[in-house]
Amino acid sequence: MGDPAQSRRSSPAQPSVGDVADVGKRKVQTPIPVEENDQRPAPAVLQLKVIMQAPYAPCVLGLDLGTSSVKVVLLDAVSRAVVHSQTQETKAEVSSLDGEQTREQDVGKIVSALHYCIAAMPKEHLRRVTRIGVSGQMHGVMMWKSQEGCKWQMSEAGLTFQPVETSHLVTWQDGRCHREFLATLPQPDSHLNLATGFGCATIFWYMKNRPQILQTYNVAGTIHDYVVAALCGHDKPLMSAHNAASWGYFNTKSGTWNLQILKDSGFPICWLPNIMESGSIAGKTTHEWCGVPEGAEVGVALGDFQCSVYSCMSEKTDAVLNISTSAQLTFALPPAFQPPDHPNPSSSVAYVPYLDGIYLAVAAALNGGNIMSTFVGMLKQWMHEFGIEVPESIIYCQTINSALNVDQTDLGVQATIFGERHLPGQLGSITNISPFNLSLGQMTRALCRGIIENLQAMLPCQRLVESGVRRIVGSGSALARNQVLRQELEKIFTLPIVYKETVDSAVGVALVMIDRK
């Protein structure tokens, strides 16, 4: 992957993002997407943005390498508006010989999806890209050979890089590091718990179960660390505190790996990426890339969770609630906050690094929209056993409509059928069943209330108020499509609530790049 010092500067005729970072900073709280094939009339504010866009205004590229898809956005660096976006499913899941609980992905398919998205971008905008922000799925790990991890070649889209001599990506969903295995590992010097799917835990598993892999590769990182290394020509990957904390064995206070602890356990510490401050520039592109100029600045890869928060937390006093498959409720802590020295396994709130030394307090629930999906799937199965076939979309709509006709219910649902990290043995339950509360509407409303009550138990509204939170920004697919869930949220959390269609890690990482000097 070459020497990063060999990268050349971009053309002096191109303005840099740093030159315009203060222009209109944080004025556009919600970037407005412009879909290429959208035939609807553009709103007046959007038309104004397009008119005011300077002919040679710099653009920023935001990349998000997710678990199931890749998303790429182009933002105008002055107006902060989204001028183009593209999403592509990766379909990268691969089987593994290491058991049914493993979750691995083909790196080549992920990179192909990334190039598909880049190639779909307007060339006239790609030529104006001066900075690239990269985010992606945290915790996971892939390995490759230094200086041999990729090769650049010409394609229809222009110059692209192709993975060479890389392992599969072992994702955050990987379950090979069971509780008994984790108990054999050394205790980290960190306030964060170690879990299966974490990069360092996975490497420990390979050391003990497939040691031959240590002879095949000599560097490791997340999938988005790999992309940054490929773009910048780094022999060894760089890693932000976001990703390092998600790997385990990283002390966020000192910003360093637990080198002595790992070394004493025989861990290949030479594999660990060098740490850079989150939000800093990792290097510059060493090649023209699908129309993006050589010499464009590339940020160190950031965590998708932190970037999604950045995309919608327009005020420091905001809390952000996202309910999609799972659910996360988070807010920013004061600059003086420091996490405890050691993890508390029974705590429902974790403290993860954000930007500029600030931490986020986050209640990450395993139970969210998947509760309603499971309920709908159960109803579909019951009807199937009666010989009736009804699409899940129709069942879902009917459950919501039925619940909208019920203002309240005394039926109680403990909506934790997937357990929680701090209470893995606590599953779901139904209480106070009577002959008068067994309707579809009452059951659906009780389920929705149970989802919100679980979040309230993990991070109470009172704590948000005491921490200076003034409103909640709600987002996520489950919250957007479920009016009953929104109603129960507004009953239980008494703070003002505003709704956004979605949080967006690709937009968030692009905004970080715009805002950094």
Side-chain angles (χ1 to χ4, degrees), residues 2 34 40 130 137 167 171 243 367 407 439 470 483 508:
V34 183
R40 296 171 297 175
T130 57
Q137 48 177 303
S167 71
T171 76
N243 293 324
N367 298 272
D407 292 331
S439 69
R470 295 181 181 175
Q483 185 179 346

Side-chain angles (χ1 to χ4, degrees), residues 323-327 365-376 415 417-418 451 478:
I323 306 181
S324 296
T325 302
S326 55
L366 300 177
N367 298 272
N370 49 7
I371 294 291
M372 279 299 297
S373 297
T374 302
F375 179 57
V376 169
I417 62 175
F418 298 101
I451 294 170

Side-chain angles (χ1 to χ4, degrees), residues 47-61:
Q47 292 174 343
L48 180 62
K49 285 181 181 180
V50 173
I51 292 170
M52 293 180 65
Q53 190 175 22
Y56 301 105
C59 289
V60 172
L61 199 62

Side-chain angles (χ1 to χ4, degrees), residues 411-417 426-433 443 446-447:
L411 190 65
V413 174
Q414 179 73 45
T416 52
I417 62 175
Q426 177 180 283
L427 300 179
S429 63
I430 303 175
T431 58
N432 205 41
I433 301 173
M443 177 60 76
L447 274 173

Side-chain angles (χ1 to χ4, degrees), residues 304-339:
D304 53 357
F305 170 70
Q306 289 89 337
C307 291
S308 68
V309 171
Y310 199 86
S311 72
C312 62
M313 185 185 282
S314 54
E315 302 291 341
K316 293 180 180 179
T317 54
D318 287 345
V320 176
L321 170 62
N322 179 63
I323 306 181
S324 296
T325 302
S326 55
Q328 302 86 32
L329 177 59
T330 186
F331 67 93
L333 292 155
F337 172 84
Q338 288 295 309

Side-chain angles (χ1 to χ4, degrees), residues 60-295:
V60 172
L61 199 62
L63 320 178
D64 180 47
L65 305 165
T67 307
S68 59
S69 65
V70 169
K71 183 170 185 179
V72 176
V73 298
L74 266 169
L75 267 64
D76 181 278
V78 177
S79 70
R80 305 166 67 84
V82 177
V83 295
H84 196 85
S85 68
Q86 186 73 36
T87 303
Q88 177 70 9
E89 289 186 5
T90 58
K91 299 179 180 178
E93 293 287 341
V94 292
S95 59
S96 170
L97 299 176
D98 296 323
E100 293 182 357
Q101 291 186 313
T102 59
R103 294 293 182 272
E104 298 183 13
Q105 294 186 350
D106 185 324
V107 172
K109 290 184 177 180
I110 298 172
V111 172
S112 293
L114 172 63
H115 286 141
Y116 175 89
C117 292
I118 297 290
M121 295 283 160
K123 294 296 183 183
E124 65 272 18
H125 288 100
L126 289 177
R127 285 192 288 268
R128 302 210 308 266
V129 169
T130 57
R131 276 189 182 173
I132 303 171
V134 186
S135 75
Q137 48 177 303
M138 294 188 293
H139 305 295
V141 58
M142 60 171 289
M143 294 153 276
W144 65 94
K145 278 190 176 181
S146 176
Q147 300 182 333
E148 300 178 34
C150 75
K151 64 177 180 181
W152 286 85
Q153 61 186 36
M154 185 60 68
S155 68
E156 292 182 3
L159 272 176
T160 60
F161 63 90
Q162 300 300 320
V164 179
E165 301 290 344
T166 72
S167 71
H168 287 158
L169 169 66
V170 181
T171 76
W172 62 275
Q173 297 172 312
D174 190 81
R176 74 187 69 201
C177 298
H178 49 75
R179 189 177 301 179
E180 292 76 15
F181 174 79
L182 292 173
T184 68
L185 302 183
Q187 182 66 35
D189 176 20
S190 171
H191 73 281
L192 295 168
N193 288 304
L194 190 66
T196 186
F198 283 28
C200 284
T202 301
I203 293 174
F204 266 123
W205 187 93
Y206 278 118
M207 286 172 54
K208 296 189 177 184
N209 294 277
R210 288 181 56 194
Q212 66 273 18
I213 200 169
L214 300 179
Q215 307 302 319
T216 306
Y217 309 108
N218 56 13
V219 293
T222 66
I223 179 64
H224 35 314
D225 293 327
Y226 169 78
V227 168
V228 170
L231 292 176
C232 297
H234 292 165
D235 293 339
K236 186 171 184 177
L238 301 171
M239 183 178 272
S240 68
H242 292 181
N243 293 324
S246 78
W247 261 28
Y249 295 97
F250 180 79
N251 189 298
T252 61
K253 293 182 181 181
S254 63
T256 58
W257 296 108
N258 300 169
L259 291 178
Q260 193 60 51
I261 294 173
L262 293 169
K263 187 176 181 180
D264 290 346
S265 300
F267 189 95
I269 58 175
C270 60
W271 282 25
L272 294 172
N274 295 325
I275 301 300
M276 287 193 73
E277 181 182 356
S278 301
S280 58
I281 301 300
K284 296 182 178 181
T285 53
T286 58
H287 297 77
E288 176 272 334
W289 180 43
C290 297
V292 176
E294 178 183 340

